[in-house]
Amino acid sequence: MRLTDLTQHAGQWLRGAGPDSEIVISSRVRLARNVAGEPFLTRCDDSQRRRIAERLHEAVEQAAIANEMLYVDVEAASDLDRQLLVERHLISRQHAQGSGARAVVVTGDETAAVMINEEDHLRVQVLRSGLQLADSYEQIDRVDDALAQRVHFAFSGRFGYLTACPTNVGTGIRVSVMLHLPALKMSGQIEKVFQAASDMRLAIRGLYGEGTEAMGDLFQISNQTTLGQSEREIISEFNDRIVPGIIEFEREARRSLLATHGDAMEDKAFRSLSLLRSARLMSSEETMGLLSQVRLGIHLGRVQDITLQTVNELLQLTQPAHLQQIHGRAMDAAERARVRAEFIRQRLN
Amino acid sequence: MRLTDLTQHAGQWLRGAGPDSEIVISSRVRLARNVAGEPFLTRCDDSQRRRIAERLHEAVEQAAIANEMLYVDVEAASDLDRQLLVERHLISRQHAQGSGARAVVVTGDETAAVMINEEDHLRVQVLRSGLQLADSYEQIDRVDDALAQRVHFAFSGRFGYLTACPTNVGTGIRVSVMLHLPALKMSGQIEKVFQAASDMRLAIRGLYGEGTEAMGDLFQISNQTTLGQSEREIISEFNDRIVPGIIEFEREARRSLLATHGDAMEDKAFRSLSLLRSARLMSSEETMGLLSQVRLGIHLGRVQDITLQTVNELLQLTQPAHLQQIHGRAMDAAERARVRAEFIRQRLN
C-alpha cells in the first residue's frame, strides 16, 4: 500500500454512514502513550529520538493491528505528502511541521492511525463515520492492548498514564466528534453551543484542529480533561449525553429555519449545488461553504440526486494536497482553483 | 389588441438583432411637438387638457401610423398597467406618475409610440433593436409628417419647434442608445465614458432614464442639445461617430479582459447562468446583474446555448409589472422573487 493510493477515495470515516451521520461527520478517540524508561521527547536528543522511533515502528508492525498497514516516515516525507496526511486527519499539523525522527502507521481502512514521536512517543487514534464513539473506543482499546504487550508504557499508580503535557495525564484519552452545524451557525445559536462547551470544559474548534477557523460549518468538539474519570465514563458522557444534546439542538434549528425560511433554504441549497456544478474557478473555502449548504439541502430532502458520501468525499478530495497528488504535480493556488472546479464538476455532473 | 397581449413576449426592440447588437441593445429617437394655438400643459386647466388629449387621440388614429395600434388611456389605467408601459419603455415614468387627461398610442410592433400630454402635447418615439438611428429617424420622420397633416404644430421661424421646456426647443429631437458596457464597468473605464459624455454635452443614465442607477451594466446615452443642428446632423453625429467610438472602447475592454482574465470571465458567465437556472428566489436587480454576465459570456463565445434575444427578453419579462401581468395578480416583492426565479428557470432550462 502506498500513500498515493489514499487519494483514490476519501477516508472511510467520511463515507457518510453511521448513526446520526447527517450531523455527525465523524467520531474520534485518541490515546497518548509513552515508553517507560525513556525521556519525554522534549528532553530527547536526536539519537534517543531515533531509537524510540525505530523501536516503536517495530512494535506497531509486530502488534499487527490490521491486515493491511501503511508506514510513512514523516521525517523523510515531502511537504506535499505530509499535507496530504493532515488533510486526511491521519497526522496532526504539529506532526507534519515538526522535526526529527517521526512516523505514522495507518491501517488500510484508515480507521486507525498511530503517530510515533508527535508530542508523546505514541499517539493512537481511531476515526469512524457518524456517532460511533463506543465502537471507536472498543477498537482503540484493542490496539492499545496489542501495543502494551510489546511496549512497557510509562504509568503511575497515582496519576495513570504519564504524558509530555500534564493535560493528557491520566487516561491519556481525548474524545472528539466533528459536527456539521449549519443551522446553528445560520441562526446565530452556535454561540450558545460555544458557551455550553466552555461551561462543560469542552474544546470547540474548526475543521483542522486548533487555531483554524470553522469552514463549511464544521465544528470539532473534544474533551479537555483526561484525569479523574475512567475512559468509559468519558466516552459514555460524550456519546450518550453531550453529543446527542447538540444534535437535537441543530435538528431543532433546522426545523425552525425550514418552517420560517423554507424558500430561502431551498434557494441556497440549489444555488450552491449549481455553482459547484458550473464554476470554472473555486477556492477551498468556497467549496466547503457550498458543500455545507448542499449537505443541509440533502438532509432537508431538497437535494435528492447527491449523496452525503459524495459531499463528504468532495470535502476531502478538493483540499490542496489531495488535488496535487491526484494530478501528480505541484500547483499554485490559481491553478488549483481551476483544477478543483473541474474535479468538482466531473464528480457532480 | 389589448395591453396584456404585450406580456406574451418582449418588445421588438429587444430582439437582439440589428447592427452591433452585442453592445447596442436599442436605438431610440424621440420628437417633442405641441399644438399651435393651445397653451403648454403647465398652463392648461383640466378641460383644456382633456380637449387637447381628445383632439390628439383622434389625429393619431387618423394618421394611421401602423396597421395595428394600441390606445391606452393612461389617466384611467391601473398602476400596474402604467408600470408595465414604463417597463416596456413605451411611456416615461413622468407620464405614468402624472395626473390629468393623458394617453399613449403604440404600434402593434411597439417600434413607435406617441405619448399624448406628457410634458409636451405630443412625444413621439421610435425604438429599434441594435444601432439603427438612421432607420429610426426615417420612421419617426414619416410619423411626424403624417401627424403634421392633421395637427398644426407650434413652430417659430427663428427657434424651430416650440416646446414646454427650453431644452427641447429647436428640432425637438432627442436621440439615445441603450448600451451594454460590462467590460468598461468591470475595468473601471466606464468613468472615462462618463467624462467624455459630459465633455460632449451628452447625458448618460441607467436603464430606466433619469435618476435611476445603472443596473445590469446597461447605460443610456442621449443628446442634450436640440438647437443649432439639423435632425440629420444630430443623428449622423450620434450614429456614425459617438456610438461607434464607445462600441470600440467596450470591444477593446472585452478583448483586454479576455486576454488577462479569461478564466475569471468564463467562471463568472457560467456561474451566472447556473444561478439563473437554479435559484428559487431572485430579485430584479440580481436578475439584471446575472443576465449582464450571461450576455457578455455569449458575446465572448463562452455561453453557446442561450441567445441574445432570450437574455434581452428576460431583462424585460422579469420586471415587476410584467411578472404580475403574466400571472394575472398583484404580488408583493417576496412572491415576485419566487415567481421570477421560476419563470427564469422555465425559460432557460
Side-chain angles (χ1 to χ4, degrees), chain B residues 154-185:
Chain B
F155 186 86
S156 140
R158 183 170 169 205
F159 297 116
Y161 290 102
L162 299 177
T163 54
C165 175
T167 59
N168 291 311
V169 165
T171 57
I173 204 172
R174 180 148 295 173
V175 178
S176 67
V177 286
M178 195 195 300
L179 302 174
H180 183 224
L181 306 176
L184 290 174
K185 180 84 183 294

PDB file of all heavy atoms in Angstrom, chain B residues 154-185:
ATOM      1  N   ALA B 154     -46.891  73.955 -33.152  1.00  0.00           N
ATOM      2  CA  ALA B 154     -46.312  75.248 -32.757  1.00  0.00           C
ATOM      3  C   ALA B 154     -44.874  75.313 -33.252  1.00  0.00           C
ATOM      4  O   ALA B 154     -44.048  74.470 -32.900  1.00  0.00           O
ATOM      5  CB  ALA B 154     -46.357  75.380 -31.224  1.00  0.00           C
ATOM      6  N   PHE B 155     -44.592  76.315 -34.089  1.00  0.00           N
ATOM      7  CA  PHE B 155     -43.290  76.404 -34.740  1.00  0.00           C
ATOM      8  C   PHE B 155     -42.906  77.858 -34.910  1.00  0.00           C
ATOM      9  O   PHE B 155     -43.742  78.689 -35.254  1.00  0.00           O
ATOM     10  CB  PHE B 155     -43.361  75.718 -36.114  1.00  0.00           C
ATOM     11  CG  PHE B 155     -42.043  75.625 -36.831  1.00  0.00           C
ATOM     12  CD1 PHE B 155     -41.171  74.563 -36.582  1.00  0.00           C
ATOM     13  CD2 PHE B 155     -41.676  76.589 -37.761  1.00  0.00           C
ATOM     14  CE1 PHE B 155     -39.952  74.474 -37.249  1.00  0.00           C
ATOM     15  CE2 PHE B 155     -40.442  76.506 -38.427  1.00  0.00           C
ATOM     16  CZ  PHE B 155     -39.580  75.445 -38.167  1.00  0.00           C
ATOM     17  N   SER B 156     -41.654  78.156 -34.649  1.00  0.00           N
ATOM     18  CA  SER B 156     -41.170  79.521 -34.834  1.00  0.00           C
ATOM     19  C   SER B 156     -40.078  79.504 -35.894  1.00  0.00           C
ATOM     20  O   SER B 156     -39.182  78.651 -35.855  1.00  0.00           O
ATOM     21  CB  SER B 156     -40.605  80.049 -33.503  1.00  0.00           C
ATOM     22  OG  SER B 156     -39.438  80.792 -33.716  1.00  0.00           O
ATOM     23  N   GLY B 157     -40.188  80.449 -36.826  1.00  0.00           N
ATOM     24  CA  GLY B 157     -39.185  80.516 -37.887  1.00  0.00           C
ATOM     25  C   GLY B 157     -37.794  80.725 -37.323  1.00  0.00           C
ATOM     26  O   GLY B 157     -36.804  80.260 -37.883  1.00  0.00           O
ATOM     27  N   ARG B 158     -37.719  81.361 -36.166  1.00  0.00           N
ATOM     28  CA  ARG B 158     -36.411  81.676 -35.593  1.00  0.00           C
ATOM     29  C   ARG B 158     -35.867  80.522 -34.750  1.00  0.00           C
ATOM     30  O   ARG B 158     -34.707  80.154 -34.828  1.00  0.00           O
ATOM     31  CB  ARG B 158     -36.553  82.927 -34.729  1.00  0.00           C
ATOM     32  CG  ARG B 158     -35.243  83.385 -34.152  1.00  0.00           C
ATOM     33  CD  ARG B 158     -35.388  84.754 -33.509  1.00  0.00           C
ATOM     34  NE  ARG B 158     -34.209  85.068 -32.740  1.00  0.00           N
ATOM     35  CZ  ARG B 158     -34.187  85.907 -31.724  1.00  0.00           C
ATOM     36  NH1 ARG B 158     -35.318  86.529 -31.364  1.00  0.00           N
ATOM     37  NH2 ARG B 158     -33.084  86.144 -31.070  1.00  0.00           N
ATOM     38  N   PHE B 159     -36.754  79.910 -33.892  1.00  0.00           N
ATOM     39  CA  PHE B 159     -36.296  78.893 -32.934  1.00  0.00           C
ATOM     40  C   PHE B 159     -36.542  77.465 -33.398  1.00  0.00           C
ATOM     41  O   PHE B 159     -35.905  76.545 -32.926  1.00  0.00           O
ATOM     42  CB  PHE B 159     -36.986  79.088 -31.572  1.00  0.00           C
ATOM     43  CG  PHE B 159     -36.652  80.393 -30.922  1.00  0.00           C
ATOM     44  CD1 PHE B 159     -37.625  81.350 -30.691  1.00  0.00           C
ATOM     45  CD2 PHE B 159     -35.336  80.662 -30.534  1.00  0.00           C
ATOM     46  CE1 PHE B 159     -37.305  82.548 -30.085  1.00  0.00           C
ATOM     47  CE2 PHE B 159     -35.010  81.862 -29.916  1.00  0.00           C
ATOM     48  CZ  PHE B 159     -35.997  82.819 -29.694  1.00  0.00           C
ATOM     49  N   GLY B 160     -37.526  77.280 -34.289  1.00  0.00           N
ATOM     50  CA  GLY B 160     -37.908  75.916 -34.664  1.00  0.00           C
ATOM     51  C   GLY B 160     -39.137  75.492 -33.876  1.00  0.00           C
ATOM     52  O   GLY B 160     -39.967  76.336 -33.483  1.00  0.00           O
ATOM     53  N   TYR B 161     -39.239  74.193 -33.596  1.00  0.00           N
ATOM     54  CA  TYR B 161     -40.402  73.701 -32.842  1.00  0.00           C
ATOM     55  C   TYR B 161     -40.363  74.245 -31.428  1.00  0.00           C
ATOM     56  O   TYR B 161     -39.309  74.265 -30.784  1.00  0.00           O
ATOM     57  CB  TYR B 161     -40.435  72.172 -32.829  1.00  0.00           C
ATOM     58  CG  TYR B 161     -40.770  71.617 -34.194  1.00  0.00           C
ATOM     59  CD1 TYR B 161     -39.784  71.103 -35.029  1.00  0.00           C
ATOM     60  CD2 TYR B 161     -42.089  71.643 -34.668  1.00  0.00           C
ATOM     61  CE1 TYR B 161     -40.084  70.620 -36.299  1.00  0.00           C
ATOM     62  CE2 TYR B 161     -42.404  71.168 -35.938  1.00  0.00           C
ATOM     63  CZ  TYR B 161     -41.393  70.662 -36.743  1.00  0.00           C
ATOM     64  OH  TYR B 161     -41.707  70.202 -37.991  1.00  0.00           O
ATOM     65  N   LEU B 162     -41.538  74.689 -30.941  1.00  0.00           N
ATOM     66  CA  LEU B 162     -41.616  75.267 -29.595  1.00  0.00           C
ATOM     67  C   LEU B 162     -42.059  74.184 -28.620  1.00  0.00           C
ATOM     68  O   LEU B 162     -42.972  73.404 -28.916  1.00  0.00           O
ATOM     69  CB  LEU B 162     -42.603  76.432 -29.593  1.00  0.00           C
ATOM     70  CG  LEU B 162     -42.197  77.574 -30.541  1.00  0.00           C
ATOM     71  CD1 LEU B 162     -43.266  78.670 -30.551  1.00  0.00           C
ATOM     72  CD2 LEU B 162     -40.832  78.153 -30.158  1.00  0.00           C
ATOM     73  N   THR B 163     -41.388  74.126 -27.481  1.00  0.00           N
ATOM     74  CA  THR B 163     -41.666  73.056 -26.517  1.00  0.00           C
ATOM     75  C   THR B 163     -41.806  73.622 -25.118  1.00  0.00           C
ATOM     76  O   THR B 163     -41.369  74.735 -24.830  1.00  0.00           O
ATOM     77  CB  THR B 163     -40.515  72.028 -26.510  1.00  0.00           C
ATOM     78  OG1 THR B 163     -39.283  72.733 -26.290  1.00  0.00           O
ATOM     79  CG2 THR B 163     -40.424  71.278 -27.841  1.00  0.00           C
ATOM     80  N   ALA B 164     -42.414  72.839 -24.237  1.00  0.00           N
ATOM     81  CA  ALA B 164     -42.695  73.298 -22.879  1.00  0.00           C
ATOM     82  C   ALA B 164     -41.409  73.625 -22.129  1.00  0.00           C
ATOM     83  O   ALA B 164     -41.348  74.574 -21.357  1.00  0.00           O
ATOM     84  CB  ALA B 164     -43.490  72.222 -22.120  1.00  0.00           C
ATOM     85  N   CYS B 165     -40.379  72.837 -22.359  1.00  0.00           N
ATOM     86  CA  CYS B 165     -39.095  73.082 -21.693  1.00  0.00           C
ATOM     87  C   CYS B 165     -38.107  73.576 -22.736  1.00  0.00           C
ATOM     88  O   CYS B 165     -37.983  72.981 -23.816  1.00  0.00           O
ATOM     89  CB  CYS B 165     -38.596  71.798 -21.046  1.00  0.00           C
ATOM     90  SG  CYS B 165     -36.956  71.965 -20.326  1.00  0.00           S
ATOM     91  N   PRO B 166     -37.388  74.690 -22.455  1.00  0.00           N
ATOM     92  CA  PRO B 166     -36.497  75.279 -23.462  1.00  0.00           C
ATOM     93  C   PRO B 166     -35.429  74.308 -23.976  1.00  0.00           C
ATOM     94  O   PRO B 166     -34.943  74.463 -25.094  1.00  0.00           O
ATOM     95  CB  PRO B 166     -35.834  76.447 -22.726  1.00  0.00           C
ATOM     96  CG  PRO B 166     -36.502  76.591 -21.423  1.00  0.00           C
ATOM     97  CD  PRO B 166     -37.395  75.435 -21.191  1.00  0.00           C
ATOM     98  N   THR B 167     -35.054  73.296 -23.183  1.00  0.00           N
ATOM     99  CA  THR B 167     -34.007  72.381 -23.647  1.00  0.00           C
ATOM    100  C   THR B 167     -34.438  71.578 -24.857  1.00  0.00           C
ATOM    101  O   THR B 167     -33.614  70.984 -25.538  1.00  0.00           O
ATOM    102  CB  THR B 167     -33.593  71.374 -22.545  1.00  0.00           C
ATOM    103  OG1 THR B 167     -34.754  70.626 -22.156  1.00  0.00           O
ATOM    104  CG2 THR B 167     -33.005  72.067 -21.341  1.00  0.00           C
ATOM    105  N   ASN B 168     -35.741  71.542 -25.130  1.00  0.00           N
ATOM    106  CA  ASN B 168     -36.209  70.774 -26.284  1.00  0.00           C
ATOM    107  C   ASN B 168     -36.517  71.633 -27.508  1.00  0.00           C
ATOM    108  O   ASN B 168     -36.819  71.114 -28.577  1.00  0.00           O
ATOM    109  CB  ASN B 168     -37.451  69.960 -25.907  1.00  0.00           C
ATOM    110  CG  ASN B 168     -37.111  68.848 -24.938  1.00  0.00           C
ATOM    111  OD1 ASN B 168     -36.167  68.107 -25.164  1.00  0.00           O
ATOM    112  ND2 ASN B 168     -37.862  68.768 -23.841  1.00  0.00           N
ATOM    113  N   VAL B 169     -36.449  72.951 -27.316  1.00  0.00           N
ATOM    114  CA  VAL B 169     -36.770  73.856 -28.425  1.00  0.00           C
ATOM    115  C   VAL B 169     -35.812  73.642 -29.588  1.00  0.00           C
ATOM    116  O   VAL B 169     -34.647  73.346 -29.395  1.00  0.00           O
ATOM    117  CB  VAL B 169     -36.698  75.330 -27.942  1.00  0.00           C
ATOM    118  CG1 VAL B 169     -36.671  76.301 -29.128  1.00  0.00           C
ATOM    119  CG2 VAL B 169     -37.881  75.652 -27.029  1.00  0.00           C
ATOM    120  N   GLY B 170     -36.335  73.783 -30.806  1.00  0.00           N
ATOM    121  CA  GLY B 170     -35.491  73.656 -31.998  1.00  0.00           C
ATOM    122  C   GLY B 170     -35.987  72.489 -32.818  1.00  0.00           C
ATOM    123  O   GLY B 170     -37.094  72.515 -33.348  1.00  0.00           O
ATOM    124  N   THR B 171     -35.163  71.459 -32.893  1.00  0.00           N
ATOM    125  CA  THR B 171     -35.611  70.263 -33.604  1.00  0.00           C
ATOM    126  C   THR B 171     -36.597  69.480 -32.755  1.00  0.00           C
ATOM    127  O   THR B 171     -37.372  68.681 -33.268  1.00  0.00           O
ATOM    128  CB  THR B 171     -34.423  69.342 -33.902  1.00  0.00           C
ATOM    129  OG1 THR B 171     -33.794  69.032 -32.649  1.00  0.00           O
ATOM    130  CG2 THR B 171     -33.414  70.018 -34.816  1.00  0.00           C
ATOM    131  N   GLY B 172     -36.519  69.673 -31.439  1.00  0.00           N
ATOM    132  CA  GLY B 172     -37.375  68.882 -30.544  1.00  0.00           C
ATOM    133  C   GLY B 172     -36.970  67.422 -30.512  1.00  0.00           C
ATOM    134  O   GLY B 172     -37.696  66.572 -30.019  1.00  0.00           O
ATOM    135  N   ILE B 173     -35.782  67.177 -31.036  1.00  0.00           N
ATOM    136  CA  ILE B 173     -35.371  65.774 -31.155  1.00  0.00           C
ATOM    137  C   ILE B 173     -34.474  65.354 -29.998  1.00  0.00           C
ATOM    138  O   ILE B 173     -33.659  66.141 -29.512  1.00  0.00           O
ATOM    139  CB  ILE B 173     -34.628  65.546 -32.505  1.00  0.00           C
ATOM    140  CG1 ILE B 173     -34.701  64.072 -32.931  1.00  0.00           C
ATOM    141  CG2 ILE B 173     -33.184  65.988 -32.420  1.00  0.00           C
ATOM    142  CD1 ILE B 173     -34.156  63.855 -34.327  1.00  0.00           C
ATOM    143  N   ARG B 174     -34.696  64.127 -29.538  1.00  0.00           N
ATOM    144  CA  ARG B 174     -33.722  63.527 -28.618  1.00  0.00           C
ATOM    145  C   ARG B 174     -33.386  62.149 -29.161  1.00  0.00           C
ATOM    146  O   ARG B 174     -34.266  61.387 -29.552  1.00  0.00           O
ATOM    147  CB  ARG B 174     -34.268  63.439 -27.192  1.00  0.00           C
ATOM    148  CG  ARG B 174     -33.264  62.814 -26.240  1.00  0.00           C
ATOM    149  CD  ARG B 174     -33.345  63.341 -24.840  1.00  0.00           C
ATOM    150  NE  ARG B 174     -33.001  64.754 -24.754  1.00  0.00           N
ATOM    151  CZ  ARG B 174     -33.126  65.481 -23.649  1.00  0.00           C
ATOM    152  NH1 ARG B 174     -33.615  64.937 -22.553  1.00  0.00           N
ATOM    153  NH2 ARG B 174     -32.794  66.748 -23.641  1.00  0.00           N
ATOM    154  N   VAL B 175     -32.103  61.886 -29.164  1.00  0.00           N
ATOM    155  CA  VAL B 175     -31.588  60.638 -29.722  1.00  0.00           C
ATOM    156  C   VAL B 175     -30.916  59.893 -28.579  1.00  0.00           C
ATOM    157  O   VAL B 175     -30.169  60.500 -27.809  1.00  0.00           O
ATOM    158  CB  VAL B 175     -30.528  60.954 -30.802  1.00  0.00           C
ATOM    159  CG1 VAL B 175     -29.947  59.675 -31.361  1.00  0.00           C
ATOM    160  CG2 VAL B 175     -31.145  61.799 -31.885  1.00  0.00           C
ATOM    161  N   SER B 176     -31.193  58.615 -28.445  1.00  0.00           N
ATOM    162  CA  SER B 176     -30.476  57.879 -27.409  1.00  0.00           C
ATOM    163  C   SER B 176     -30.252  56.436 -27.813  1.00  0.00           C
ATOM    164  O   SER B 176     -30.957  55.894 -28.671  1.00  0.00           O
ATOM    165  CB  SER B 176     -31.227  57.940 -26.071  1.00  0.00           C
ATOM    166  OG  SER B 176     -32.445  57.237 -26.165  1.00  0.00           O
ATOM    167  N   VAL B 177     -29.230  55.847 -27.208  1.00  0.00           N
ATOM    168  CA  VAL B 177     -28.972  54.422 -27.410  1.00  0.00           C
ATOM    169  C   VAL B 177     -28.812  53.792 -26.030  1.00  0.00           C
ATOM    170  O   VAL B 177     -28.352  54.443 -25.087  1.00  0.00           O
ATOM    171  CB  VAL B 177     -27.684  54.168 -28.227  1.00  0.00           C
ATOM    172  CG1 VAL B 177     -27.894  54.484 -29.688  1.00  0.00           C
ATOM    173  CG2 VAL B 177     -26.517  54.950 -27.652  1.00  0.00           C
ATOM    174  N   MET B 178     -29.241  52.551 -25.926  1.00  0.00           N
ATOM    175  CA  MET B 178     -29.010  51.821 -24.692  1.00  0.00           C
ATOM    176  C   MET B 178     -27.875  50.852 -24.953  1.00  0.00           C
ATOM    177  O   MET B 178     -27.924  50.039 -25.877  1.00  0.00           O
ATOM    178  CB  MET B 178     -30.246  51.056 -24.258  1.00  0.00           C
ATOM    179  CG  MET B 178     -30.111  50.619 -22.808  1.00  0.00           C
ATOM    180  SD  MET B 178     -31.315  49.386 -22.415  1.00  0.00           S
ATOM    181  CE  MET B 178     -32.799  50.292 -22.753  1.00  0.00           C
ATOM    182  N   LEU B 179     -26.828  50.988 -24.152  1.00  0.00           N
ATOM    183  CA  LEU B 179     -25.609  50.218 -24.392  1.00  0.00           C
ATOM    184  C   LEU B 179     -25.342  49.248 -23.253  1.00  0.00           C
ATOM    185  O   LEU B 179     -25.579  49.570 -22.084  1.00  0.00           O
ATOM    186  CB  LEU B 179     -24.420  51.186 -24.509  1.00  0.00           C
ATOM    187  CG  LEU B 179     -24.524  52.243 -25.604  1.00  0.00           C
ATOM    188  CD1 LEU B 179     -23.344  53.211 -25.515  1.00  0.00           C
ATOM    189  CD2 LEU B 179     -24.576  51.593 -26.975  1.00  0.00           C
ATOM    190  N   HIS B 180     -24.843  48.096 -23.615  1.00  0.00           N
ATOM    191  CA  HIS B 180     -24.430  47.117 -22.606  1.00  0.00           C
ATOM    192  C   HIS B 180     -22.910  47.194 -22.501  1.00  0.00           C
ATOM    193  O   HIS B 180     -22.197  46.799 -23.413  1.00  0.00           O
ATOM    194  CB  HIS B 180     -24.863  45.705 -23.040  1.00  0.00           C
ATOM    195  CG  HIS B 180     -24.553  44.654 -22.030  1.00  0.00           C
ATOM    196  ND1 HIS B 180     -24.008  43.436 -22.334  1.00  0.00           N
ATOM    197  CD2 HIS B 180     -24.732  44.644 -20.684  1.00  0.00           C
ATOM    198  CE1 HIS B 180     -23.860  42.718 -21.223  1.00  0.00           C
ATOM    199  NE2 HIS B 180     -24.290  43.425 -20.211  1.00  0.00           N
ATOM    200  N   LEU B 181     -22.424  47.735 -21.363  1.00  0.00           N
ATOM    201  CA  LEU B 181     -20.997  48.031 -21.227  1.00  0.00           C
ATOM    202  C   LEU B 181     -20.362  47.320 -20.030  1.00  0.00           C
ATOM    203  O   LEU B 181     -19.736  47.957 -19.174  1.00  0.00           O
ATOM    204  CB  LEU B 181     -20.798  49.553 -21.117  1.00  0.00           C
ATOM    205  CG  LEU B 181     -21.418  50.396 -22.248  1.00  0.00           C
ATOM    206  CD1 LEU B 181     -21.231  51.893 -21.972  1.00  0.00           C
ATOM    207  CD2 LEU B 181     -20.821  50.033 -23.607  1.00  0.00           C
ATOM    208  N   PRO B 182     -20.504  45.993 -19.952  1.00  0.00           N
ATOM    209  CA  PRO B 182     -19.986  45.280 -18.777  1.00  0.00           C
ATOM    210  C   PRO B 182     -18.465  45.351 -18.642  1.00  0.00           C
ATOM    211  O   PRO B 182     -17.957  45.454 -17.517  1.00  0.00           O
ATOM    212  CB  PRO B 182     -20.442  43.836 -19.003  1.00  0.00           C
ATOM    213  CG  PRO B 182     -20.648  43.719 -20.474  1.00  0.00           C
ATOM    214  CD  PRO B 182     -21.136  45.074 -20.912  1.00  0.00           C
ATOM    215  N   ALA B 183     -17.742  45.314 -19.755  1.00  0.00           N
ATOM    216  CA  ALA B 183     -16.280  45.287 -19.654  1.00  0.00           C
ATOM    217  C   ALA B 183     -15.747  46.647 -19.212  1.00  0.00           C
ATOM    218  O   ALA B 183     -14.815  46.729 -18.420  1.00  0.00           O
ATOM    219  CB  ALA B 183     -15.654  44.864 -20.984  1.00  0.00           C
ATOM    220  N   LEU B 184     -16.359  47.722 -19.707  1.00  0.00           N
ATOM    221  CA  LEU B 184     -15.936  49.059 -19.269  1.00  0.00           C
ATOM    222  C   LEU B 184     -16.269  49.251 -17.793  1.00  0.00           C
ATOM    223  O   LEU B 184     -15.510  49.851 -17.038  1.00  0.00           O
ATOM    224  CB  LEU B 184     -16.608  50.140 -20.125  1.00  0.00           C
ATOM    225  CG  LEU B 184     -16.101  50.208 -21.574  1.00  0.00           C
ATOM    226  CD1 LEU B 184     -16.920  51.207 -22.386  1.00  0.00           C
ATOM    227  CD2 LEU B 184     -14.622  50.594 -21.603  1.00  0.00           C
ATOM    228  N   LYS B 185     -17.400  48.713 -17.368  1.00  0.00           N
ATOM    229  CA  LYS B 185     -17.778  48.798 -15.957  1.00  0.00           C
ATOM    230  C   LYS B 185     -16.790  48.004 -15.107  1.00  0.00           C
ATOM    231  O   LYS B 185     -16.261  48.516 -14.114  1.00  0.00           O
ATOM    232  CB  LYS B 185     -19.197  48.228 -15.797  1.00  0.00           C
ATOM    233  CG  LYS B 185     -19.740  48.242 -14.389  1.00  0.00           C
ATOM    234  CD  LYS B 185     -20.367  49.583 -14.043  1.00  0.00           C
ATOM    235  CE  LYS B 185     -20.855  49.634 -12.608  1.00  0.00           C
ATOM    236  NZ  LYS B 185     -21.970  48.715 -12.375  1.00  0.00           N
TER     237      LYS B 185
END
